Amino acid sequence: TEIEIHAHGLELDADTSTLVLAPDAGGKYALGAAELVPGLLKGQPLVILAACHAGRTVTGAYKSWSLADAFLKAGARAVVASPNPILDQDAGAFFAELDARARASSAAQALRDLRRQPDAPAWAGDLAVFVP
């Protein structure tokens, strides 16, 4: 019911962000919106993207699009991501706490409460919760 990805994020020019993963047998290392087809994810998981720029949204003439949108169309119930950099040294503990709190309430409430903590990392203010 949860997917948490800690990876590097690339901000590509005319596209949404891309997650950089370990290469598969064919050498492919990137996970982008094109790989996330509708219905791919079962069980409506909460998706936490602990990656720089994973919440970047590209705005066109008639709609906006993001990697988070692709996860939602693939079946996520909510996606937490930032359009900006995330510092690695803070990410593990912060996102583990976010995941634990989101199980007891919602991702939005958990993020709100964590942002109010005096020791919350500065980049936590850039995180967004995307919902269908």
Side-chain angles (χ1 to χ4, degrees):
T1 58
E2 292 100 18
I3 297 172
E4 188 171 331
I5 299 174
H6 290 256
H8 291 290
L10 294 178
E11 188 175 22
L12 304 176
D13 285 336
D15 200 357
T16 62
S17 58
T18 299
L19 301 177
V20 179
L21 308 173
D24 64 14
K28 185 174 170 123
Y29 65 89
L31 175 63
E35 287 78 33
L36 298 166
V37 297
L40 176 70
L41 303 176
K42 305 300 180 206
Q44 296 183 309
L46 167 64
V47 176
I48 297 174
L49 301 176
C52 297
H53 311 295
R56 177 178 180 243
T57 300
V58 177
T59 304
Y62 299 103
K63 70 174 188 171
S64 61
W65 184 246
S66 68
L67 184 59
D69 289 324
F71 272 102
L72 292 171
K73 287 185 188 272
R77 74 174 176 273
V79 178
V80 178
S82 174
N84 296 319
I86 292 172
L87 299 179
D88 288 342
Q89 68 265 23
D90 303 329
F94 182 86
F95 286 111
E97 183 67 20
L98 177 67
D99 184 32
R101 288 177 181 233
R103 288 180 193 167
S105 60
S106 71
Q109 290 172 330
L111 180 57
R112 179 203 61 203
D113 293 346
L114 282 173
R115 283 180 176 160
R116 292 179 175 171
Q117 298 293 319
D119 60 343
W123 52 260
D126 295 334
L127 289 170
V129 177
F130 297 80
V131 292

